[in-house]
Amino acid sequence: MKTEFNTNLKLYSSLANWWPLLSNPKDYEEEAKLFIDIFSKRCRPIHEILELGSGGGNNASYLKSCFQMTLVDLSPQMIEMSKRLNPECNHLICDMRTIRLEKKFDAVFIHDAINYMTNEKDLAKTIQTAATHCRSGGVVLMVPDHFKKTFCEKTTHGGCDRDGKGLRYLQWQYDPDRADS
């Protein structure tokens, strides 16, 4: 897919308050346990994690029980959602392709936000950011939703109710250009 990174998506700006109904933090528990297990089995203990593209903070809501989390997202509205869920975490509004902190972390974590790197240049910038912020002997964990070789077109649905509001969605996942990278 050859789309450019779009920071004006309504879901991450004017509709960000609906995020917990679209992407329920409870849906992240099982996968977050796997990430905690991966980080915990390192030879060198992991205490501090930098999460790039943290969105609404759903992964951090579980990871914070074991690690000190610094959360980075480009959307101020998503950072606000994450602050409600994770007030004890450090939050920064920055672009994961270009952020440069004066600090290194035991681990750098990028969940599905890596999917927004739709060209090799942006992907390389994001990988460089992760490498720049990872201590020697640390770990960088990137978890994309899909890989080209295993991608399957499908339809999914979801949503939930909370605080007198409800949201339901129907999603089509397809590759409009199977020849791209």
Side-chain angles (χ1 to χ4, degrees), residues 5-7 12 53-55 72-79 92-97:
F5 188 72
N6 184 349
T7 59
Y12 304 131
S54 59
V72 172
D73 201 89
L74 187 57
S75 165
Q77 294 87 351
M78 292 302 279
I79 287 290
L92 302 168
I93 301 168
C94 297
D95 188 324
M96 67 179 161
R97 296 169 292 184

Side-chain angles (χ1 to χ4, degrees), residues 12 16 19 51 53-57 70-87 89-94:
Y12 304 131
W19 182 253
E51 183 178 357
S54 59
T70 297
L71 309 178
V72 172
D73 201 89
L74 187 57
S75 165
Q77 294 87 351
M78 292 302 279
I79 287 290
E80 283 306 312
M81 295 305 300
S82 181
K83 284 180 178 179
R84 292 180 200 166
L85 188 59
N86 305 300
C89 296
N90 186 25
H91 290 85
L92 302 168
I93 301 168
C94 297

Side-chain angles (χ1 to χ4, degrees), residues 124-140:
K125 285 180 180 180
T126 303
I127 292 170
Q128 182 60 51
T129 296
T132 297
H133 291 92
C134 192
R135 285 191 177 104
S136 179
V139 62
V140 173

Side-chain angles (χ1 to χ4, degrees), residues 24 43 100 177:
N24 191 337
C43 294
R100 293 297 182 266
D177 182 359

Side-chain angles (χ1 to χ4, degrees), residues 8-20:
N8 297 317
L9 294 172
K10 287 184 180 182
L11 181 57
Y12 304 131
S13 58
S14 61
L15 298 177
N17 283 331
W18 289 86
W19 182 253

Side-chain angles (χ1 to χ4, degrees), residues 5 12 19 28 35 51-56 59 72-75 78 94-97 109-119 122-123 126 141-146:
F5 188 72
Y12 304 131
W19 182 253
Y28 287 69
F35 303 145
E51 183 178 357
L52 299 174
S54 59
N59 281 305
V72 172
D73 201 89
L74 187 57
S75 165
M78 292 302 279
C94 297
D95 188 324
M96 67 179 161
R97 296 169 292 184
F109 175 55
I110 311 172
H111 193 239
D112 54 4
I114 198 70
N115 296 335
Y116 289 103
M117 302 302 107
T118 59
N119 62 63
D122 285 342
L123 180 60
T126 303
L141 177 60
M142 288 185 257
V143 187
D145 284 340
H146 305 287

Side-chain angles (χ1 to χ4, degrees), residues 36-49 66-67 104-107 133-139:
I36 289 169
D37 189 52
I38 290 169
F39 289 130
S40 297
K41 288 185 176 176
R42 298 291 303 155
C43 294
R44 183 184 218 178
I46 292 179
H47 304 287
E48 296 179 291
I49 296 177
C66 299
F67 312 104
K104 296 206 179 253
F105 297 82
D106 301 314
H133 291 92
C134 192
R135 285 191 177 104
S136 179
V139 62

